[in-house]
Amino acid sequence: MPAPCGQVSRAPLQTWQHGGVTSATHLSSFPAGADSADAVLLGLDPEQREVATTLRGPVCVLAGAGTGKTRAITHRIAYGVRSGQLMPASVLAVTFTNRAAGEMRGRLRSLGAGGVQARTFHSAALRQLHYFWPRAIGGEMPRLVERKVQLVAEAGARCRIRLDRGELRDVTGEIEWAKVTQTVPSDYPAAALKTGREAPRDMAEIAQIYGTYEQLKRDRGMIDFEDVLLLTVGILQDRHDIAEQIRTQYQHFVVDEYQDVSPLQQRLLDLWLGERDSLCVVGDASQTIYSFTGATPDHLLNFRNRYPQATLVKLVRDYRSTPQVVHLANGLLAQAKGRAAEHRLELVSQREPGPDPVYAEYPDEPAEAEGVAIRIRDLIAAGVPAGEIAVLYRINAQSEVYEQALADAGVPYQLRGAERFFERGEVQKAILALRGAARSGGNDPLLDDVVELGSQVRAVLSSTGWTSEPPAGSGAVRDQWESVAALVRLAEDFARSRPGATLADLTVELDERRAAQHAPTVQGVTLASLHAAKGLEWDAVFLAGLTDGMLPITYAKTEEQVEEERRLLYVGVTRARLHLTLSWALSRAPGGRASRRPSRFLNGLRPGSAAPGGRAGAAGATVERGLRKRGRRGPALCRVCGKTLTEAGELKLMRCDDCPSDMDEGLYERLREWRAGQAKEQGLPAYCVFTDRTLVAIAEAAPSEEGELSMISGVGGRKLDRYGADVLAICAGQEPGGAEADDA
């Protein structure tokens, strides 16, 4: 007997649990040559089996992360086909990405149901539009717009509105949102205001560009991907004969990721269905993270209202993550608010226990990145493949510091969902401007009366349109601002480590960094935004930069926007199978004021914190404090004049920049020579061994033992292990091998 609707069935261990239930995300172990429908059901848990065998009427599957939803619906289709209850050509399975559609087709083929259509909404609509256009409209079907942003740019120019690269992408996104929500240009400002959208430009300007864009397409006989859906909807509404032909062809529908359906996609689905109810939808309101594209979980949450007789099945057995990861995910949603939270699923892990999630606090962002890189290197050394590790963050601009830290640690990585930092258009443009200013030397009027390197960089980049204040709102404009801001911070840090450095020195440094960050694209640690990580999973996941202002992001103002940020963190947590690390930094730069706070979403979950309701978090666990070398009490003082030190470069040397140095020049030169040899041997830029400022600090301190060397900023645990013996030998007047130096 199946469990009552919405209840979790409990089966004895000797049945399905010992019958071969596999990970929710791995291809079915069902042999393609099996000769019975019952074989399709082997290895399914009770809830998955209920989904697979309920072939008539509306079915709503609420499926938590890692619970085997794709397995359940593909086995449902295959069981219907193999049992003769469904004809393969009569089934249309719809999902949201080509990757997911391809995976579904592969699974169906392995289950003996290769004749079933599995497509995205756009792909299915485009196929129908091509077929019916001559009959419904006549003539040749319009060409698809290949590069929408180019046409939007032209529309902006026609309206005498200049859009930079970031604004262009964001305005294009606004037009796409308007079309999937079936909003015409004249109604855009009112609709955007009503939904609280953060528009990248004046809403009236966007409406004007939107209208001109539509006119340009009409004039040139072109359509875009949103038009594919709109035109298909129009034909099916106007031509009942065509609608009936499609309904005769497709009699059974399955929709995956139903929480991401837009109003326009739902309208198309309704027209495909007609008056029938042979529909199976699968989704999880707690994974709704794309509302900015027009996606809404309302259709999923309202399904039982629309179809009171619908069968409801909840998949809560999590085959992906350990009990420790699942416990954290459940705790995160327990504090959620709003309608989606009312329908949250309490996951139950089916895996053996694993390590507890790690909470790590760092003094600054570079220390956090270095700490993450060290942990990753240790995991790889312990046998975890690099390709099974991911670092996830809120915005793409956060990647640069992790790219550098992983490169320093010799760990291969690959970026997902974004260009590598130095390949981003805004970064290349900024470097080009800096290189031009460096060539001009003192002849560039931008640099008149500007002496300090950081100020020079800001002055040059200001001429390209960059401002020191971040833009309002979210999207590409903000991401690109963050990328250039990261470049400015990099320049400032470089200036502190090399007093007297010029723009020319900086461009050389940037070229070296770009070369050092070139990493293999296979078997590398994945660097990705949380949005880009949806639908993926890894053995080990590092959720980085978890501070208030970043997650939730600053511009999340309304309760619903904040709750979507919480769901974004939930998606990140549930990407991890075994190892999960959550980290944050108290300040941006070394020596900065520790004013940041861990994300409010971790209250009641991280050790030592309490949720709004008073529940304490993570009993028995602790927050690790990473890379704090000195543990000083009170301010750091210059060892020469006694003045309080605040700048990172001064803190490294433990003296003011203008106080006299007691550096051993001979020792410094021997260290530089040794560093050059190490860099050449390892194929790295010299700064990846030790920066110039760190060498100065070592030459001034002349440490005689490991403890003294470890106290110098820039000598982390990894570098101490790798280079400590050599450096101490050089400081003692010996060759790294232990012999006396010639000039000792």
Side-chain angles (χ1 to χ4, degrees), residues 365-607:
E365 288 180 4
E368 182 181 9
E370 183 178 349
V372 167
I374 289 171
R375 290 177 183 276
I376 288 173
R377 189 193 59 201
D378 292 344
L379 282 174
I380 293 173
V384 180
E388 287 293 347
I389 303 173
V391 180
L392 307 181
Y393 34 75
R394 177 60 179 83
I395 60 174
N396 288 327
Q398 292 173 272
S399 74
E400 189 271 340
V401 69
Y402 292 95
E403 293 177 55
Q404 182 60 56
L406 291 171
D408 283 353
V411 174
Y413 67 89
Q414 53 186 328
L415 277 172
R416 182 180 181 87
E419 304 108 332
R420 297 176 68 249
F421 181 78
F422 284 103
E423 293 174 359
R424 296 172 190 164
E426 63 273 17
V427 173
Q428 292 179 341
K429 179 181 177 182
I431 293 176
L432 190 62
L434 292 172
R435 187 170 286 117
R439 290 196 186 113
S440 299
N443 298 321
D444 193 332
L446 284 171
L447 305 181
D448 287 347
D449 302 321
V450 182
V451 178
E452 193 265 330
L453 180 58
S455 299
Q456 291 179 342
V457 170
R458 285 190 292 273
V460 172
L461 297 182
S462 295
S463 69
T464 68
W466 186 81
T467 62
S468 58
E469 291 297 321
S474 60
V477 171
R478 179 63 180 247
D479 283 356
Q480 291 174 12
W481 182 91
E482 294 283 0
S483 293
V484 180
L487 199 60
V488 172
R489 294 195 295 268
L490 189 152
E492 291 171 343
D493 293 340
F494 178 71
R496 281 193 289 268
S497 68
R498 284 189 58 179
T502 65
L503 276 174
D505 296 327
L506 176 63
T507 59
V508 171
E509 177 79 356
L510 292 173
D511 288 340
E512 289 182 351
R513 284 177 175 263
R514 178 161 47 192
Q517 290 172 354
H518 182 72
T521 57
V522 293
Q523 273 307 309
V525 172
T526 298
L527 298 179
S529 71
L530 287 163
H531 282 103
K534 178 73 165 64
L536 304 174
E537 61 182 80
W538 296 269
D539 283 345
V541 170
F542 292 80
L543 301 177
L546 300 183
T547 60
D548 257 5
M550 187 57 73
L551 197 71
I553 200 77
T554 304
Y555 44 78
K557 303 295 185 185
T558 68
E559 180 177 291
E560 179 49 39
Q561 289 170 338
V562 171
E563 286 304 314
E564 182 152 337
E565 294 286 300
R566 188 194 305 275
R567 295 194 294 269
L568 194 56
L569 180 56
Y570 173 78
V571 166
V573 168
T574 55
R575 299 310 94 196
R577 299 191 192 106
L578 180 62
H579 303 281
L580 178 63
T581 299
L582 306 94
S583 63
W584 58 90
L586 299 179
S587 67
R588 179 188 65 78
R593 187 165 63 92
S595 59
R596 292 177 172 178
R597 294 293 176 266
S599 170
R600 72 191 75 167
F601 299 146
L602 299 181
N603 291 343
L605 301 174
R606 63 182 172 86

Side-chain angles (χ1 to χ4, degrees), residues 147-489:
R147 297 202 62 190
K148 187 183 299 178
V149 290
Q150 290 183 344
L151 206 58
V152 174
E154 185 176 345
R158 292 272 183 107
C159 298
R160 298 187 177 181
I161 300 172
R162 184 181 179 188
L163 302 172
D164 64 28
R165 181 169 170 262
E167 290 175 322
L168 188 58
R169 195 177 87 179
D170 287 345
V171 169
T172 301
E174 288 300 293
I175 292 174
E176 291 171 348
W177 172 82
K179 297 185 76 166
V180 300
T181 56
Q182 303 173 78
T183 303
V184 298
S186 60
D187 292 342
Y188 167 78
L193 282 171
K194 183 178 180 180
T195 55
R197 291 187 71 80
E198 292 276 358
R201 293 287 298 239
D202 179 81
M203 291 180 181
E205 290 183 338
I206 294 177
Q208 186 182 5
I209 295 170
Y210 177 15
T212 305
Y213 166 78
E214 291 296 307
Q215 186 62 51
L216 284 172
K217 287 198 289 98
R218 286 192 294 270
D219 292 345
R220 297 174 185 180
M222 304 177 78
I223 59 174
D224 60 25
F225 272 103
E226 288 69 44
D227 292 327
V228 169
L229 299 183
L230 286 164
L231 288 167
T232 306
V233 165
I235 289 174
L236 297 183
Q237 286 179 158
D238 295 341
R239 293 291 300 268
H240 298 291
D241 58 329
I242 292 176
E244 284 305 314
Q245 185 173 343
I246 291 177
R247 292 167 191 159
T248 301
Q249 171 70 49
Y250 295 118
Q251 300 176 21
H252 308 280
F253 295 85
V254 177
V255 183
D256 194 11
E257 302 288 1
Y258 194 54
Q259 77 279 352
D260 290 333
V261 166
S262 72
L264 179 57
Q265 290 165 333
Q266 180 62 47
R267 181 62 186 140
L268 178 60
L269 180 61
D270 290 341
L271 288 165
W272 283 340
L273 275 166
E275 299 300 319
R276 300 165 302 170
D277 62 1
S278 185
L279 171 66
C280 176
V281 300
V282 188
D284 179 9
S286 295
Q287 296 188 67
T288 305
I289 59 173
Y290 296 113
S291 66
F292 60 90
T293 67
T296 171
D298 289 347
H299 305 296
L300 175 66
L301 299 178
N302 292 334
F303 194 83
R304 290 292 298 278
N305 296 332
R306 184 174 183 180
Y307 300 104
Q309 77 280 20
T311 300
L312 175 67
V313 184
K314 295 183 179 181
L315 302 184
V316 297
R317 304 180 198 268
D318 187 318
Y319 299 98
R320 176 187 299 161
S321 304
T322 63
Q324 288 78 4
V325 173
V326 167
H327 177 73
L328 174 56
N330 286 335
L332 188 61
L333 286 189
Q335 302 176 29
K337 303 174 183 177
R339 191 171 180 222
E342 295 171 2
H343 296 266
R344 70 183 181 88
L345 299 169
E346 186 87 11
L347 299 178
V348 181
S349 176
Q350 305 299 298
R351 294 192 55 170
E352 293 295 323
D356 287 328
V358 173
Y359 298 86
E361 181 178 281
Y362 295 90
D364 52 69
E365 288 180 4
E368 182 181 9
E370 183 178 349
V372 167
I374 289 171
R375 290 177 183 276
I376 288 173
R377 189 193 59 201
D378 292 344
L379 282 174
I380 293 173
V384 180
E388 287 293 347
I389 303 173
V391 180
L392 307 181
Y393 34 75
R394 177 60 179 83
I395 60 174
N396 288 327
Q398 292 173 272
S399 74
E400 189 271 340
V401 69
Y402 292 95
E403 293 177 55
Q404 182 60 56
L406 291 171
D408 283 353
V411 174
Y413 67 89
Q414 53 186 328
L415 277 172
R416 182 180 181 87
E419 304 108 332
R420 297 176 68 249
F421 181 78
F422 284 103
E423 293 174 359
R424 296 172 190 164
E426 63 273 17
V427 173
Q428 292 179 341
K429 179 181 177 182
I431 293 176
L432 190 62
L434 292 172
R435 187 170 286 117
R439 290 196 186 113
S440 299
N443 298 321
D444 193 332
L446 284 171
L447 305 181
D448 287 347
D449 302 321
V450 182
V451 178
E452 193 265 330
L453 180 58
S455 299
Q456 291 179 342
V457 170
R458 285 190 292 273
V460 172
L461 297 182
S462 295
S463 69
T464 68
W466 186 81
T467 62
S468 58
E469 291 297 321
S474 60
V477 171
R478 179 63 180 247
D479 283 356
Q480 291 174 12
W481 182 91
E482 294 283 0
S483 293
V484 180
L487 199 60
V488 172
R489 294 195 295 268

Side-chain angles (χ1 to χ4, degrees), residues 553-691:
I553 200 77
T554 304
Y555 44 78
K557 303 295 185 185
T558 68
E559 180 177 291
E560 179 49 39
Q561 289 170 338
V562 171
E563 286 304 314
E564 182 152 337
E565 294 286 300
R566 188 194 305 275
R567 295 194 294 269
L568 194 56
L569 180 56
Y570 173 78
V571 166
V573 168
T574 55
R575 299 310 94 196
R577 299 191 192 106
L578 180 62
H579 303 281
L580 178 63
T581 299
L582 306 94
S583 63
W584 58 90
L586 299 179
S587 67
R588 179 188 65 78
R593 187 165 63 92
S595 59
R596 292 177 172 178
R597 294 293 176 266
S599 170
R600 72 191 75 167
F601 299 146
L602 299 181
N603 291 343
L605 301 174
R606 63 182 172 86
S609 67
R615 181 170 62 88
T622 59
V623 174
E624 297 184 8
R625 266 72 184 185
L627 302 182
R628 291 185 178 276
K629 297 186 179 67
R630 291 182 171 79
R632 300 189 193 90
R633 295 181 179 178
L637 303 179
C638 173
R639 55 188 169 84
V640 179
C641 70
K643 176 184 173 182
T644 299
L645 303 176
T646 58
E647 294 296 321
E650 295 179 335
L651 288 168
K652 185 184 287 284
L653 297 177
M654 286 304 293
R655 64 170 174 81
C656 302
D657 277 332
D658 53 2
C659 282
S661 170
D662 54 359
M663 181 179 69
D664 182 332
E665 295 287 349
L667 174 57
Y668 178 70
E669 290 304 321
R670 290 196 299 275
L671 288 168
R672 279 177 57 87
E673 183 179 349
W674 165 83
R675 181 183 67 172
Q678 290 289 325
K680 182 177 180 180
E681 180 180 325
Q682 298 174 48
L684 296 172
Y687 75 86
C688 285
V689 181
F690 286 119
T691 65

